[in-house]
PDB file of all heavy atoms in Angstrom:
ATOM      1  N   VAL A 311      61.907 139.622 142.529  1.00  0.00           N
ATOM      2  CA  VAL A 311      62.574 138.408 143.002  1.00  0.00           C
ATOM      3  C   VAL A 311      63.975 138.787 143.483  1.00  0.00           C
ATOM      4  O   VAL A 311      64.809 139.214 142.682  1.00  0.00           O
ATOM      5  CB  VAL A 311      62.660 137.356 141.882  1.00  0.00           C
ATOM      6  CG1 VAL A 311      63.368 136.101 142.382  1.00  0.00           C
ATOM      7  CG2 VAL A 311      61.276 137.019 141.359  1.00  0.00           C
ATOM      8  N   THR A 312      64.225 138.613 144.774  1.00  0.00           N
ATOM      9  CA  THR A 312      65.505 139.095 145.337  1.00  0.00           C
ATOM     10  C   THR A 312      66.250 138.056 146.156  1.00  0.00           C
ATOM     11  O   THR A 312      67.329 138.334 146.669  1.00  0.00           O
ATOM     12  CB  THR A 312      65.257 140.329 146.217  1.00  0.00           C
ATOM     13  OG1 THR A 312      64.335 139.991 147.264  1.00  0.00           O
ATOM     14  CG2 THR A 312      64.702 141.491 145.397  1.00  0.00           C
ATOM     15  N   THR A 313      65.699 136.838 146.304  1.00  0.00           N
ATOM     16  CA  THR A 313      66.339 135.805 147.109  1.00  0.00           C
ATOM     17  C   THR A 313      66.412 134.502 146.326  1.00  0.00           C
ATOM     18  O   THR A 313      65.718 134.312 145.319  1.00  0.00           O
ATOM     19  CB  THR A 313      65.551 135.543 148.407  1.00  0.00           C
ATOM     20  OG1 THR A 313      64.261 135.009 148.066  1.00  0.00           O
ATOM     21  CG2 THR A 313      65.385 136.829 149.208  1.00  0.00           C
ATOM     22  N   ASN A 314      67.234 133.578 146.803  1.00  0.00           N
ATOM     23  CA  ASN A 314      67.338 132.278 146.165  1.00  0.00           C
ATOM     24  C   ASN A 314      66.011 131.542 146.207  1.00  0.00           C
ATOM     25  O   ASN A 314      65.596 130.924 145.213  1.00  0.00           O
ATOM     26  CB  ASN A 314      68.426 131.437 146.844  1.00  0.00           C
ATOM     27  CG  ASN A 314      68.584 130.067 146.182  1.00  0.00           C
ATOM     28  OD1 ASN A 314      68.980 129.969 145.026  1.00  0.00           O
ATOM     29  ND2 ASN A 314      68.275 129.001 146.930  1.00  0.00           N
ATOM     30  N   ALA A 315      65.324 131.627 147.364  1.00  0.00           N
ATOM     31  CA  ALA A 315      64.010 130.985 147.471  1.00  0.00           C
ATOM     32  C   ALA A 315      63.037 131.592 146.470  1.00  0.00           C
ATOM     33  O   ALA A 315      62.242 130.874 145.848  1.00  0.00           O
ATOM     34  CB  ALA A 315      63.475 131.123 148.898  1.00  0.00           C
ATOM     35  N   GLY A 316      63.109 132.899 146.308  1.00  0.00           N
ATOM     36  CA  GLY A 316      62.252 133.562 145.329  1.00  0.00           C
ATOM     37  C   GLY A 316      62.579 133.130 143.916  1.00  0.00           C
ATOM     38  O   GLY A 316      61.684 132.951 143.081  1.00  0.00           O
ATOM     39  N   PHE A 317      63.868 132.945 143.615  1.00  0.00           N
ATOM     40  CA  PHE A 317      64.293 132.476 142.300  1.00  0.00           C
ATOM     41  C   PHE A 317      63.721 131.101 142.021  1.00  0.00           C
ATOM     42  O   PHE A 317      63.161 130.839 140.931  1.00  0.00           O
ATOM     43  CB  PHE A 317      65.823 132.445 142.232  1.00  0.00           C
ATOM     44  CG  PHE A 317      66.378 131.760 141.015  1.00  0.00           C
ATOM     45  CD1 PHE A 317      66.474 132.422 139.807  1.00  0.00           C
ATOM     46  CD2 PHE A 317      66.808 130.433 141.089  1.00  0.00           C
ATOM     47  CE1 PHE A 317      66.984 131.783 138.674  1.00  0.00           C
ATOM     48  CE2 PHE A 317      67.323 129.792 139.969  1.00  0.00           C
ATOM     49  CZ  PHE A 317      67.416 130.469 138.761  1.00  0.00           C
ATOM     50  N   LEU A 318      63.846 130.185 142.978  1.00  0.00           N
ATOM     51  CA  LEU A 318      63.351 128.830 142.797  1.00  0.00           C
ATOM     52  C   LEU A 318      61.840 128.826 142.563  1.00  0.00           C
ATOM     53  O   LEU A 318      61.335 128.110 141.688  1.00  0.00           O
ATOM     54  CB  LEU A 318      63.709 127.970 144.009  1.00  0.00           C
ATOM     55  CG  LEU A 318      65.204 127.734 144.265  1.00  0.00           C
ATOM     56  CD1 LEU A 318      65.399 126.969 145.565  1.00  0.00           C
ATOM     57  CD2 LEU A 318      65.839 126.995 143.102  1.00  0.00           C
ATOM     58  N   ASP A 319      61.135 129.626 143.335  1.00  0.00           N
ATOM     59  CA  ASP A 319      59.681 129.687 143.185  1.00  0.00           C
ATOM     60  C   ASP A 319      59.298 130.310 141.839  1.00  0.00           C
ATOM     61  O   ASP A 319      58.371 129.845 141.179  1.00  0.00           O
ATOM     62  CB  ASP A 319      59.071 130.498 144.332  1.00  0.00           C
ATOM     63  CG  ASP A 319      57.557 130.595 144.220  1.00  0.00           C
ATOM     64  OD1 ASP A 319      56.882 129.559 144.389  1.00  0.00           O
ATOM     65  OD2 ASP A 319      57.052 131.700 143.953  1.00  0.00           O
ATOM     66  N   TYR A 320      60.023 131.352 141.432  1.00  0.00           N
ATOM     67  CA  TYR A 320      59.756 132.019 140.152  1.00  0.00           C
ATOM     68  C   TYR A 320      59.908 131.042 138.993  1.00  0.00           C
ATOM     69  O   TYR A 320      59.043 130.950 138.111  1.00  0.00           O
ATOM     70  CB  TYR A 320      60.713 133.202 139.983  1.00  0.00           C
ATOM     71  CG  TYR A 320      60.674 133.866 138.628  1.00  0.00           C
ATOM     72  CD1 TYR A 320      59.661 134.766 138.297  1.00  0.00           C
ATOM     73  CD2 TYR A 320      61.658 133.600 137.676  1.00  0.00           C
ATOM     74  CE1 TYR A 320      59.621 135.372 137.048  1.00  0.00           C
ATOM     75  CE2 TYR A 320      61.623 134.207 136.430  1.00  0.00           C
ATOM     76  CZ  TYR A 320      60.609 135.092 136.120  1.00  0.00           C
ATOM     77  OH  TYR A 320      60.585 135.688 134.876  1.00  0.00           O
ATOM     78  N   VAL A 321      60.996 130.292 138.994  1.00  0.00           N
ATOM     79  CA  VAL A 321      61.254 129.348 137.909  1.00  0.00           C
ATOM     80  C   VAL A 321      60.229 128.227 137.921  1.00  0.00           C
ATOM     81  O   VAL A 321      59.638 127.883 136.887  1.00  0.00           O
ATOM     82  CB  VAL A 321      62.682 128.774 138.029  1.00  0.00           C
ATOM     83  CG1 VAL A 321      62.893 127.657 137.015  1.00  0.00           C
ATOM     84  CG2 VAL A 321      63.709 129.872 137.824  1.00  0.00           C
ATOM     85  N   GLN A 322      59.980 127.656 139.097  1.00  0.00           N
ATOM     86  CA  GLN A 322      59.073 126.521 139.194  1.00  0.00           C
ATOM     87  C   GLN A 322      57.641 126.894 138.814  1.00  0.00           C
ATOM     88  O   GLN A 322      56.996 126.214 138.010  1.00  0.00           O
ATOM     89  CB  GLN A 322      59.106 125.964 140.622  1.00  0.00           C
ATOM     90  CG  GLN A 322      58.187 124.793 140.893  1.00  0.00           C
ATOM     91  CD  GLN A 322      58.631 123.517 140.214  1.00  0.00           C
ATOM     92  OE1 GLN A 322      58.366 123.351 139.028  1.00  0.00           O
ATOM     93  NE2 GLN A 322      59.282 122.626 140.952  1.00  0.00           N
ATOM     94  N   SER A 323      57.151 127.999 139.375  1.00  0.00           N
ATOM     95  CA  SER A 323      55.746 128.355 139.160  1.00  0.00           C
ATOM     96  C   SER A 323      55.509 128.986 137.801  1.00  0.00           C
ATOM     97  O   SER A 323      54.470 128.742 137.163  1.00  0.00           O
ATOM     98  CB  SER A 323      55.271 129.316 140.258  1.00  0.00           C
ATOM     99  OG  SER A 323      56.024 130.526 140.247  1.00  0.00           O
ATOM    100  N   ASN A 324      56.453 129.763 137.314  1.00  0.00           N
ATOM    101  CA  ASN A 324      56.209 130.515 136.087  1.00  0.00           C
ATOM    102  C   ASN A 324      56.449 129.698 134.828  1.00  0.00           C
ATOM    103  O   ASN A 324      55.798 129.915 133.803  1.00  0.00           O
ATOM    104  CB  ASN A 324      57.101 131.760 136.059  1.00  0.00           C
ATOM    105  CG  ASN A 324      56.502 132.889 135.256  1.00  0.00           C
ATOM    106  OD1 ASN A 324      55.298 133.104 135.283  1.00  0.00           O
ATOM    107  ND2 ASN A 324      57.336 133.609 134.527  1.00  0.00           N
ATOM    108  N   PHE A 325      57.375 128.734 134.890  1.00  0.00           N
ATOM    109  CA  PHE A 325      57.732 128.015 133.680  1.00  0.00           C
ATOM    110  C   PHE A 325      57.439 126.519 133.716  1.00  0.00           C
ATOM    111  O   PHE A 325      57.376 125.878 132.672  1.00  0.00           O
ATOM    112  CB  PHE A 325      59.211 128.241 133.356  1.00  0.00           C
ATOM    113  CG  PHE A 325      59.547 129.685 133.178  1.00  0.00           C
ATOM    114  CD1 PHE A 325      60.426 130.325 134.021  1.00  0.00           C
ATOM    115  CD2 PHE A 325      58.942 130.426 132.176  1.00  0.00           C
ATOM    116  CE1 PHE A 325      60.710 131.674 133.862  1.00  0.00           C
ATOM    117  CE2 PHE A 325      59.219 131.767 132.001  1.00  0.00           C
ATOM    118  CZ  PHE A 325      60.109 132.398 132.855  1.00  0.00           C
ATOM    119  N   PHE A 326      57.263 125.955 134.892  1.00  0.00           N
ATOM    120  CA  PHE A 326      57.043 124.511 134.968  1.00  0.00           C
ATOM    121  C   PHE A 326      55.793 124.140 135.751  1.00  0.00           C
ATOM    122  O   PHE A 326      55.529 122.966 135.981  1.00  0.00           O
ATOM    123  CB  PHE A 326      58.284 123.831 135.568  1.00  0.00           C
ATOM    124  CG  PHE A 326      59.526 124.049 134.764  1.00  0.00           C
ATOM    125  CD1 PHE A 326      60.479 124.976 135.160  1.00  0.00           C
ATOM    126  CD2 PHE A 326      59.722 123.362 133.582  1.00  0.00           C
ATOM    127  CE1 PHE A 326      61.616 125.196 134.404  1.00  0.00           C
ATOM    128  CE2 PHE A 326      60.864 123.577 132.814  1.00  0.00           C
ATOM    129  CZ  PHE A 326      61.809 124.493 133.223  1.00  0.00           C
ATOM    130  N   LYS A 327      55.030 125.142 136.175  1.00  0.00           N
ATOM    131  CA  LYS A 327      53.747 124.929 136.840  1.00  0.00           C
ATOM    132  C   LYS A 327      53.848 123.927 137.992  1.00  0.00           C
ATOM    133  O   LYS A 327      52.946 123.136 138.235  1.00  0.00           O
ATOM    134  CB  LYS A 327      52.695 124.451 135.827  1.00  0.00           C
ATOM    135  CG  LYS A 327      52.490 125.427 134.675  1.00  0.00           C
ATOM    136  CD  LYS A 327      51.985 126.786 135.164  1.00  0.00           C
ATOM    137  CE  LYS A 327      51.733 127.743 134.007  1.00  0.00           C
ATOM    138  NZ  LYS A 327      52.963 128.286 133.421  1.00  0.00           N
ATOM    139  N   GLY A 328      54.986 123.971 138.689  1.00  0.00           N
ATOM    140  CA  GLY A 328      55.168 123.116 139.844  1.00  0.00           C
ATOM    141  C   GLY A 328      55.523 121.679 139.520  1.00  0.00           C
ATOM    142  O   GLY A 328      55.588 120.835 140.418  1.00  0.00           O
ATOM    143  N   ASN A 329      55.779 121.379 138.231  1.00  0.00           N
ATOM    144  CA  ASN A 329      55.998 119.993 137.819  1.00  0.00           C
ATOM    145  C   ASN A 329      57.461 119.595 137.657  1.00  0.00           C
ATOM    146  O   ASN A 329      57.756 118.442 137.339  1.00  0.00           O
ATOM    147  CB  ASN A 329      55.270 119.733 136.492  1.00  0.00           C
ATOM    148  CG  ASN A 329      53.771 119.837 136.640  1.00  0.00           C
ATOM    149  OD1 ASN A 329      53.196 119.339 137.601  1.00  0.00           O
ATOM    150  ND2 ASN A 329      53.131 120.510 135.684  1.00  0.00           N
ATOM    151  N   LEU A 330      58.379 120.540 137.848  1.00  0.00           N
ATOM    152  CA  LEU A 330      59.793 120.202 137.707  1.00  0.00           C
ATOM    153  C   LEU A 330      60.271 119.507 138.979  1.00  0.00           C
ATOM    154  O   LEU A 330      60.141 120.050 140.072  1.00  0.00           O
ATOM    155  CB  LEU A 330      60.619 121.467 137.452  1.00  0.00           C
ATOM    156  CG  LEU A 330      62.115 121.268 137.183  1.00  0.00           C
ATOM    157  CD1 LEU A 330      62.306 120.485 135.881  1.00  0.00           C
ATOM    158  CD2 LEU A 330      62.843 122.608 137.106  1.00  0.00           C
ATOM    159  N   PRO A 331      60.807 118.295 138.868  1.00  0.00           N
ATOM    160  CA  PRO A 331      61.307 117.596 140.058  1.00  0.00           C
ATOM    161  C   PRO A 331      62.318 118.446 140.814  1.00  0.00           C
ATOM    162  O   PRO A 331      63.109 119.187 140.209  1.00  0.00           O
ATOM    163  CB  PRO A 331      61.956 116.332 139.472  1.00  0.00           C
ATOM    164  CG  PRO A 331      61.235 116.114 138.185  1.00  0.00           C
ATOM    165  CD  PRO A 331      60.948 117.487 137.649  1.00  0.00           C
ATOM    166  N   GLN A 332      62.299 118.325 142.128  1.00  0.00           N
ATOM    167  CA  GLN A 332      63.147 119.163 142.964  1.00  0.00           C
ATOM    168  C   GLN A 332      64.623 119.011 142.609  1.00  0.00           C
ATOM    169  O   GLN A 332      65.380 119.983 142.625  1.00  0.00           O
ATOM    170  CB  GLN A 332      62.926 118.826 144.442  1.00  0.00           C
ATOM    171  CG  GLN A 332      63.619 119.780 145.413  1.00  0.00           C
ATOM    172  CD  GLN A 332      63.090 121.201 145.317  1.00  0.00           C
ATOM    173  OE1 GLN A 332      61.884 121.397 145.237  1.00  0.00           O
ATOM    174  NE2 GLN A 332      63.980 122.181 145.344  1.00  0.00           N
ATOM    175  N   ALA A 333      65.031 117.789 142.294  1.00  0.00           N
ATOM    176  CA  ALA A 333      66.436 117.572 141.968  1.00  0.00           C
ATOM    177  C   ALA A 333      66.848 118.370 140.733  1.00  0.00           C
ATOM    178  O   ALA A 333      67.952 118.946 140.695  1.00  0.00           O
ATOM    179  CB  ALA A 333      66.691 116.083 141.739  1.00  0.00           C
ATOM    180  N   GLU A 334      65.969 118.427 139.736  1.00  0.00           N
ATOM    181  CA  GLU A 334      66.303 119.180 138.534  1.00  0.00           C
ATOM    182  C   GLU A 334      66.220 120.680 138.779  1.00  0.00           C
ATOM    183  O   GLU A 334      66.982 121.460 138.195  1.00  0.00           O
ATOM    184  CB  GLU A 334      65.380 118.764 137.384  1.00  0.00           C
ATOM    185  CG  GLU A 334      65.654 117.347 136.900  1.00  0.00           C
ATOM    186  CD  GLU A 334      64.820 116.970 135.697  1.00  0.00           C
ATOM    187  OE1 GLU A 334      63.595 117.222 135.724  1.00  0.00           O
ATOM    188  OE2 GLU A 334      65.389 116.421 134.742  1.00  0.00           O
ATOM    189  N   LEU A 335      65.288 121.093 139.635  1.00  0.00           N
ATOM    190  CA  LEU A 335      65.217 122.506 140.000  1.00  0.00           C
ATOM    191  C   LEU A 335      66.490 122.927 140.708  1.00  0.00           C
ATOM    192  O   LEU A 335      67.056 124.003 140.433  1.00  0.00           O
ATOM    193  CB  LEU A 335      64.000 122.755 140.890  1.00  0.00           C
ATOM    194  CG  LEU A 335      63.770 124.198 141.338  1.00  0.00           C
ATOM    195  CD1 LEU A 335      63.537 125.101 140.131  1.00  0.00           C
ATOM    196  CD2 LEU A 335      62.579 124.283 142.302  1.00  0.00           C
ATOM    197  N   ASN A 336      66.978 122.087 141.608  1.00  0.00           N
ATOM    198  CA  ASN A 336      68.231 122.383 142.314  1.00  0.00           C
ATOM    199  C   ASN A 336      69.405 122.410 141.342  1.00  0.00           C
ATOM    200  O   ASN A 336      70.328 123.233 141.487  1.00  0.00           O
ATOM    201  CB  ASN A 336      68.480 121.340 143.401  1.00  0.00           C
ATOM    202  CG  ASN A 336      67.474 121.432 144.541  1.00  0.00           C
ATOM    203  OD1 ASN A 336      66.829 122.461 144.740  1.00  0.00           O
ATOM    204  ND2 ASN A 336      67.333 120.352 145.299  1.00  0.00           N
ATOM    205  N   ALA A 337      69.364 121.523 140.346  1.00  0.00           N
ATOM    206  CA  ALA A 337      70.435 121.507 139.353  1.00  0.00           C
ATOM    207  C   ALA A 337      70.443 122.793 138.537  1.00  0.00           C
ATOM    208  O   ALA A 337      71.507 123.350 138.226  1.00  0.00           O
ATOM    209  CB  ALA A 337      70.280 120.290 138.442  1.00  0.00           C
ATOM    210  N   LEU A 338      69.252 123.294 138.187  1.00  0.00           N
ATOM    211  CA  LEU A 338      69.172 124.575 137.476  1.00  0.00           C
ATOM    212  C   LEU A 338      69.725 125.707 138.323  1.00  0.00           C
ATOM    213  O   LEU A 338      70.441 126.586 137.832  1.00  0.00           O
ATOM    214  CB  LEU A 338      67.722 124.877 137.093  1.00  0.00           C
ATOM    215  CG  LEU A 338      67.178 124.315 135.790  1.00  0.00           C
ATOM    216  CD1 LEU A 338      65.731 124.742 135.598  1.00  0.00           C
ATOM    217  CD2 LEU A 338      68.021 124.772 134.597  1.00  0.00           C
ATOM    218  N   ALA A 339      69.377 125.682 139.604  1.00  0.00           N
ATOM    219  CA  ALA A 339      69.867 126.735 140.504  1.00  0.00           C
ATOM    220  C   ALA A 339      71.385 126.716 140.592  1.00  0.00           C
ATOM    221  O   ALA A 339      72.028 127.779 140.663  1.00  0.00           O
ATOM    222  CB  ALA A 339      69.244 126.558 141.886  1.00  0.00           C
ATOM    223  N   ALA A 340      71.960 125.521 140.571  1.00  0.00           N
ATOM    224  CA  ALA A 340      73.412 125.412 140.628  1.00  0.00           C
ATOM    225  C   ALA A 340      74.055 125.834 139.307  1.00  0.00           C
ATOM    226  O   ALA A 340      75.116 126.462 139.282  1.00  0.00           O
ATOM    227  CB  ALA A 340      73.813 123.982 140.975  1.00  0.00           C
ATOM    228  N   ALA A 341      73.399 125.504 138.201  1.00  0.00           N
ATOM    229  CA  ALA A 341      73.938 125.844 136.880  1.00  0.00           C
ATOM    230  C   ALA A 341      73.861 127.338 136.602  1.00  0.00           C
ATOM    231  O   ALA A 341      74.665 127.883 135.841  1.00  0.00           O
ATOM    232  CB  ALA A 341      73.197 125.070 135.800  1.00  0.00           C
ATOM    233  N   TYR A 342      72.886 127.998 137.237  1.00  0.00           N
ATOM    234  CA  TYR A 342      72.708 129.446 137.077  1.00  0.00           C
ATOM    235  C   TYR A 342      72.757 130.083 138.468  1.00  0.00           C
ATOM    236  O   TYR A 342      71.736 130.397 139.066  1.00  0.00           O
ATOM    237  CB  TYR A 342      71.383 129.739 136.358  1.00  0.00           C
ATOM    238  CG  TYR A 342      71.392 129.238 134.937  1.00  0.00           C
ATOM    239  CD1 TYR A 342      70.988 127.936 134.641  1.00  0.00           C
ATOM    240  CD2 TYR A 342      71.849 130.037 133.899  1.00  0.00           C
ATOM    241  CE1 TYR A 342      71.032 127.454 133.337  1.00  0.00           C
ATOM    242  CE2 TYR A 342      71.897 129.570 132.597  1.00  0.00           C
ATOM    243  CZ  TYR A 342      71.494 128.273 132.317  1.00  0.00           C
ATOM    244  OH  TYR A 342      71.552 127.796 131.025  1.00  0.00           O
ATOM    245  N   PRO A 343      73.971 130.281 138.979  1.00  0.00           N
ATOM    246  CA  PRO A 343      74.130 130.769 140.359  1.00  0.00           C
ATOM    247  C   PRO A 343      73.792 132.251 140.496  1.00  0.00           C
ATOM    248  O   PRO A 343      73.708 132.988 139.503  1.00  0.00           O
ATOM    249  CB  PRO A 343      75.609 130.508 140.639  1.00  0.00           C
ATOM    250  CG  PRO A 343      76.260 130.613 139.288  1.00  0.00           C
ATOM    251  CD  PRO A 343      75.264 130.038 138.323  1.00  0.00           C
ATOM    252  N   SER A 344      73.611 132.666 141.725  1.00  0.00           N
ATOM    253  CA  SER A 344      73.274 134.070 142.000  1.00  0.00           C
ATOM    254  C   SER A 344      74.486 134.989 141.891  1.00  0.00           C
ATOM    255  O   SER A 344      74.340 136.210 141.948  1.00  0.00           O
ATOM    256  CB  SER A 344      72.632 134.204 143.383  1.00  0.00           C
ATOM    257  OG  SER A 344      73.516 133.726 144.381  1.00  0.00           O
ATOM    258  N   ASP A 345      75.674 134.439 141.725  1.00  0.00           N
ATOM    259  CA  ASP A 345      76.898 135.225 141.558  1.00  0.00           C
ATOM    260  C   ASP A 345      76.735 136.146 140.349  1.00  0.00           C
ATOM    261  O   ASP A 345      76.647 135.666 139.214  1.00  0.00           O
ATOM    262  CB  ASP A 345      78.077 134.281 141.368  1.00  0.00           C
ATOM    263  CG  ASP A 345      79.391 135.017 141.125  1.00  0.00           C
ATOM    264  OD1 ASP A 345      79.398 136.270 141.151  1.00  0.00           O
ATOM    265  OD2 ASP A 345      80.417 134.338 140.909  1.00  0.00           O
ATOM    266  N   PRO A 346      76.690 137.464 140.544  1.00  0.00           N
ATOM    267  CA  PRO A 346      76.441 138.372 139.401  1.00  0.00           C
ATOM    268  C   PRO A 346      77.511 138.304 138.323  1.00  0.00           C
ATOM    269  O   PRO A 346      77.233 138.625 137.163  1.00  0.00           O
ATOM    270  CB  PRO A 346      76.383 139.759 140.057  1.00  0.00           C
ATOM    271  CG  PRO A 346      77.120 139.608 141.336  1.00  0.00           C
ATOM    272  CD  PRO A 346      76.879 138.200 141.803  1.00  0.00           C
ATOM    273  N   THR A 347      78.710 137.854 138.662  1.00  0.00           N
ATOM    274  CA  THR A 347      79.757 137.763 137.641  1.00  0.00           C
ATOM    275  C   THR A 347      79.478 136.637 136.647  1.00  0.00           C
ATOM    276  O   THR A 347      80.080 136.604 135.567  1.00  0.00           O
ATOM    277  CB  THR A 347      81.134 137.536 138.277  1.00  0.00           C
ATOM    278  OG1 THR A 347      81.162 136.247 138.931  1.00  0.00           O
ATOM    279  CG2 THR A 347      81.443 138.622 139.299  1.00  0.00           C
ATOM    280  N   GLN A 348      78.553 135.730 136.990  1.00  0.00           N
ATOM    281  CA  GLN A 348      78.203 134.625 136.110  1.00  0.00           C
ATOM    282  C   GLN A 348      76.915 134.887 135.338  1.00  0.00           C
ATOM    283  O   GLN A 348      76.504 134.070 134.509  1.00  0.00           O
ATOM    284  CB  GLN A 348      78.042 133.334 136.927  1.00  0.00           C
ATOM    285  CG  GLN A 348      79.262 132.944 137.730  1.00  0.00           C
ATOM    286  CD  GLN A 348      80.484 132.749 136.852  1.00  0.00           C
ATOM    287  OE1 GLN A 348      80.448 131.985 135.893  1.00  0.00           O
ATOM    288  NE2 GLN A 348      81.563 133.442 137.171  1.00  0.00           N
ATOM    289  N   GLY A 349      76.282 136.028 135.644  1.00  0.00           N
ATOM    290  CA  GLY A 349      74.983 136.304 135.055  1.00  0.00           C
ATOM    291  C   GLY A 349      75.045 137.166 133.819  1.00  0.00           C
ATOM    292  O   GLY A 349      76.112 137.546 133.331  1.00  0.00           O
ATOM    293  N   SER A 350      73.867 137.480 133.318  1.00  0.00           N
ATOM    294  CA  SER A 350      73.715 138.265 132.089  1.00  0.00           C
ATOM    295  C   SER A 350      73.214 139.669 132.418  1.00  0.00           C
ATOM    296  O   SER A 350      72.297 139.817 133.243  1.00  0.00           O
ATOM    297  CB  SER A 350      72.722 137.560 131.164  1.00  0.00           C
ATOM    298  OG  SER A 350      72.553 138.240 129.954  1.00  0.00           O
ATOM    299  N   PRO A 351      73.801 140.720 131.822  1.00  0.00           N
ATOM    300  CA  PRO A 351      74.762 140.717 130.730  1.00  0.00           C
ATOM    301  C   PRO A 351      76.066 140.006 131.102  1.00  0.00           C
ATOM    302  O   PRO A 351      76.695 140.346 132.116  1.00  0.00           O
ATOM    303  CB  PRO A 351      75.017 142.201 130.452  1.00  0.00           C
ATOM    304  CG  PRO A 351      73.831 142.914 131.016  1.00  0.00           C
ATOM    305  CD  PRO A 351      73.409 142.112 132.189  1.00  0.00           C
ATOM    306  N   PHE A 352      76.445 139.030 130.282  1.00  0.00           N
ATOM    307  CA  PHE A 352      77.626 138.231 130.545  1.00  0.00           C
ATOM    308  C   PHE A 352      78.896 139.070 130.379  1.00  0.00           C
ATOM    309  O   PHE A 352      78.939 140.038 129.625  1.00  0.00           O
ATOM    310  CB  PHE A 352      77.664 137.031 129.599  1.00  0.00           C
ATOM    311  CG  PHE A 352      76.521 136.075 129.804  1.00  0.00           C
ATOM    312  CD1 PHE A 352      75.485 135.993 128.877  1.00  0.00           C
ATOM    313  CD2 PHE A 352      76.473 135.262 130.925  1.00  0.00           C
ATOM    314  CE1 PHE A 352      74.432 135.114 129.061  1.00  0.00           C
ATOM    315  CE2 PHE A 352      75.422 134.377 131.130  1.00  0.00           C
ATOM    316  CZ  PHE A 352      74.391 134.303 130.206  1.00  0.00           C
ATOM    317  N   ASN A 353      79.911 138.660 131.127  1.00  0.00           N
ATOM    318  CA  ASN A 353      81.238 139.286 131.049  1.00  0.00           C
ATOM    319  C   ASN A 353      81.213 140.759 131.416  1.00  0.00           C
ATOM    320  O   ASN A 353      81.965 141.570 130.866  1.00  0.00           O
ATOM    321  CB  ASN A 353      81.835 139.105 129.647  1.00  0.00           C
ATOM    322  CG  ASN A 353      81.952 137.646 129.267  1.00  0.00           C
ATOM    323  OD1 ASN A 353      82.397 136.814 130.059  1.00  0.00           O
ATOM    324  ND2 ASN A 353      81.531 137.313 128.051  1.00  0.00           N
ATOM    325  N   THR A 354      80.326 141.121 132.366  1.00  0.00           N
ATOM    326  CA  THR A 354      80.292 142.510 132.848  1.00  0.00           C
ATOM    327  C   THR A 354      80.550 142.570 134.344  1.00  0.00           C
ATOM    328  O   THR A 354      80.241 143.565 134.991  1.00  0.00           O
ATOM    329  CB  THR A 354      78.930 143.162 132.524  1.00  0.00           C
ATOM    330  OG1 THR A 354      77.869 142.417 133.135  1.00  0.00           O
ATOM    331  CG2 THR A 354      78.703 143.240 131.028  1.00  0.00           C
ATOM    332  N   GLY A 355      81.105 141.506 134.905  1.00  0.00           N
ATOM    333  CA  GLY A 355      81.462 141.513 136.317  1.00  0.00           C
ATOM    334  C   GLY A 355      80.260 141.692 137.220  1.00  0.00           C
ATOM    335  O   GLY A 355      79.212 141.082 137.019  1.00  0.00           O
ATOM    336  N   THR A 356      80.409 142.560 138.191  1.00  0.00           N
ATOM    337  CA  THR A 356      79.311 142.820 139.133  1.00  0.00           C
ATOM    338  C   THR A 356      78.391 143.942 138.651  1.00  0.00           C
ATOM    339  O   THR A 356      77.406 144.262 139.325  1.00  0.00           O
ATOM    340  CB  THR A 356      79.876 143.188 140.512  1.00  0.00           C
ATOM    341  OG1 THR A 356      80.719 144.352 140.376  1.00  0.00           O
ATOM    342  CG2 THR A 356      80.694 142.036 141.105  1.00  0.00           C
ATOM    343  N   ALA A 357      78.691 144.528 137.521  1.00  0.00           N
ATOM    344  CA  ALA A 357      77.849 145.605 136.997  1.00  0.00           C
ATOM    345  C   ALA A 357      76.493 145.064 136.565  1.00  0.00           C
ATOM    346  O   ALA A 357      76.332 143.883 136.278  1.00  0.00           O
ATOM    347  CB  ALA A 357      78.541 146.283 135.816  1.00  0.00           C
TER     348      ALA A 357
END
């Protein structure tokens, strides 16, 4: 999974079987952005 579209599809199909409303899926995408400085391992910058 290397793109935002791939992320959305991965989350929707793998964990919600296509049943998560689009608005909530978009909210998850916003809450967990692709910015590596916000991701895990946390507090490791772009590493």
